[in-house]
Amino acid sequence: MKAKEIQELIDFISNSGLAEVKIETDEFKLSIKKNSDTPVVKHSENLIPQFAQAAPAPAPVETAAAPATNYLEVKSPMIGTFYRSPNPDAEFFVNVGDTIQKGQPVCIIEAMKLFNEVESEVSGKIVKILVDDASPVEYDQPLFLVEPQN
């Protein structure tokens, strides 16, 4: 099942009267349960990539920032695991202070063993990274704050 199919299934469940759906195949187990207005996705432990289990969890990246109202957000296009680099030994795609262009890769979201490169939809300077490396993220969750270019 591809990440887009999972997101479509979640959207369908959100708009239907269903409260819970479970799908099991030889390759994966997927359980989606609707709690209030937010769907939650659980998957079996064997789906987490090896390097995700071994990756250290660094402290969140912090910067002194002006009011967030001037900043644009780069958001997660899907539910999955957020990675700042293409592999554990590689450098991060972006760091605080980097200037990015629209269409530039900024991170990877892993969903169902598929690694999806996330491209920025805005141009500007990264002022804050809102998610720890190797952390789970939700659909439409802000990942980065970007000061737009003038």
Side-chain angles (χ1 to χ4, degrees), residues 39-108:
V40 176
V41 176
K42 296 180 183 178
H43 54 76
S44 62
E45 190 68 28
N46 62 352
L47 295 178
I48 299 174
Q50 293 298 323
F51 70 88
Q53 293 174 350
V61 177
E62 297 289 333
T63 62
T69 56
N70 298 333
Y71 299 137
L72 302 174
E73 296 175 334
V74 175
K75 297 181 178 182
S76 177
M78 65 189 70
I79 294 172
T81 304
F82 170 85
Y83 295 105
R84 292 187 59 200
S85 61
N87 66 61
D89 299 325
E91 292 188 26
F92 295 142
F93 284 101
V94 294
N95 292 300
V96 172
D98 289 354
T99 300
I100 59 170
Q101 300 300 318
K102 184 176 181 176
Q104 177 180 342
V106 292
C107 66
I108 287 179

Side-chain angles (χ1 to χ4, degrees), residues 62-71 96 126-130 145 147:
E62 297 289 333
T63 62
T69 56
N70 298 333
Y71 299 137
V96 172
I126 301 281
V127 293
K128 190 166 187 178
I129 299 170
L130 303 171
L145 288 181
E147 182 177 22

Side-chain angles (χ1 to χ4, degrees), residues 1 9 13 21-25 28-32 42:
M1 208 171 188
L9 180 61
I13 293 167
V21 172
K22 292 183 180 180
I23 301 172
E24 291 188 33
T25 69
F28 66 89
K29 293 179 183 180
L30 177 67
S31 176
I32 302 173
K42 296 180 183 178

